[in-house]
Amino acid sequence: MKEFNKGEVWLVGAGPGDAGLLTLHAVEALKAADVVVHDALVSAEVLDYAAGAELVLLGKRGGQPSPKQPEINARLIAEAKAGKRVVRLKGGDPFMFGRGAEEVLALVAAGVRFRIVPGITAGIGGLAYAGIPVTSRDVNSSVIFLTGHDHTGLSPEGIDWAAVGKAAGMIVLYMAMRHMGEISGKLIAGGLAADTPVSVVMRASLPEMQVLDTTLERAVADIEKSGIGAPAIVSIGRGNLLREQMAWV
Ligand code: SAH
């Protein structure tokens, strides 16, 4: 295992929640860290591995007041320059809709040494906990990962939803709960069948995990009825049907 030196920042993926999904590098880093700057999605179970470190919650939270990115970058740089071993801990994988790249570029600009520890992303590992394979040979050979809203909080501008619907047999949406009506409407208008299977997996891999199986057409009404909410991963495609046989939790 590489030594965690003072003054370094390790950007670490925490996985979707179940601490068993941490990598060995992540566990070593959490144990050695002086300070762990984590986002709101990191589970308590994972933070237990950082018992010896100062914990700082600094992360963006959809729809809630949250720290500005420059503030987070400045904190990471300041902690490193104070000679600490700093873990920047992010839910899932740091580079999957996690602003990991922005933080690394800020470290580079400030001359701070860093290491990247990838994590299991909710859109693959979280779905696996619901018995949904993101690819399977008989169903789909491509998959698209999309964010349901951009930095403005609106659904992403400039996405050609008709093209998205045609491009991949499986669409995996992050941060999409607020815009499901708009997204499903645009996918149907773009040519996807109204009865295309949709699964919504809330708090994947955690004891509170809930899964809703619905269709593009019924998604919004069923989400409302079920009370399922963020954080949730939405998968769209026939691969969801494998859940009937493969759900294992
Ligand atoms: N870097 C993270 C994603 C950050 S964006 C990753 O790789 O997983 C935040 C979004 O991730 C949430 O809105 C939700 O869509 C998804 N997400 C993260 N953890 C989740 C979990 N345990 N269950 C369901 N969705 C999750």
Side-chain angles (χ1 to χ4, degrees):
M1 211 68 72
K2 185 189 175 287
E3 200 187 333
F4 195 166
N5 296 304
K6 289 176 183 292
E8 286 180 354
V9 176
W10 284 27
L11 182 67
V12 176
D18 179 345
L21 298 181
L22 286 168
T23 60
L24 296 176
H25 283 315
V27 170
E28 291 297 321
L30 290 174
K31 285 185 177 158
D34 298 308
V35 51
V36 174
V37 181
H38 63 95
D39 69 26
L41 276 175
V42 175
S43 69
E45 202 183 307
V46 164
L47 289 175
D48 280 348
Y49 281 87
E54 180 195 352
L55 297 181
V56 179
L57 167 61
L58 265 188
K60 300 249 170 188
R61 198 75 219 257
Q64 284 166 38
S66 38
K68 298 263 180 290
Q69 192 62 47
E71 193 188 313
I72 300 173
N73 298 347
R75 179 70 181 262
L76 296 176
I77 292 163
E79 297 283 4
K81 294 216 157 152
K84 305 226 181 100
R85 295 180 186 86
V86 185
V87 166
R88 174 55 168 152
L89 185 65
K90 289 174 169 286
D93 181 90
F95 288 159
M96 187 65 104
F97 306 127
R99 297 167 188 266
E102 290 164 57
E103 294 178 8
V104 170
L105 290 173
L107 298 174
V108 170
V112 172
R113 291 170 57 90
F114 65 92
R115 184 185 170 96
I116 294 157
V117 180
I120 292 182
T121 189
I124 299 178
L127 289 178
Y129 269 62
I132 299 169
V134 286
T135 74
S136 65
R137 203 162 57 152
D138 294 336
V139 179
N140 64 306
S141 54
S142 59
V143 52
I144 287 188
F145 297 101
L146 272 180
T147 169
H149 66 77
D150 61 17
H151 58 281
T152 64
L154 305 169
S155 72
E157 291 298 323
I159 286 195
D160 179 343
W161 290 98
V164 166
K166 287 187 190 87
M170 173 75 89
I171 302 165
V172 176
L173 296 169
Y174 293 71
M175 297 179 277
M177 294 303 273
R178 264 193 292 159
H179 299 298
M180 262 320 280
E182 195 184 336
I183 293 168
S184 50
K186 286 184 172 164
L187 285 171
I188 292 171
L192 274 193
D195 64 355
T196 304
V198 173
S199 293
V200 181
V201 187
M202 176 174 83
R203 299 190 67 76
S205 85
L206 289 160
E208 320 83 81
M209 178 169 92
Q210 275 185 52
V211 187
L212 169 72
D213 296 305
T214 176
T215 63
L216 270 184
E217 183 178 44
R218 289 190 288 116
V220 170
D222 285 351
I223 287 168
E224 212 158 282
K225 230 188 309 163
S226 69
I228 211 163
I233 279 286
V234 177
S235 57
I236 303 173
R238 278 196 303 125
N240 290 332
L241 299 178
L242 292 168
R243 231 175 84 62
E244 281 172 25
Q245 295 153 81
M246 289 180 39
W248 58 276
V249 171

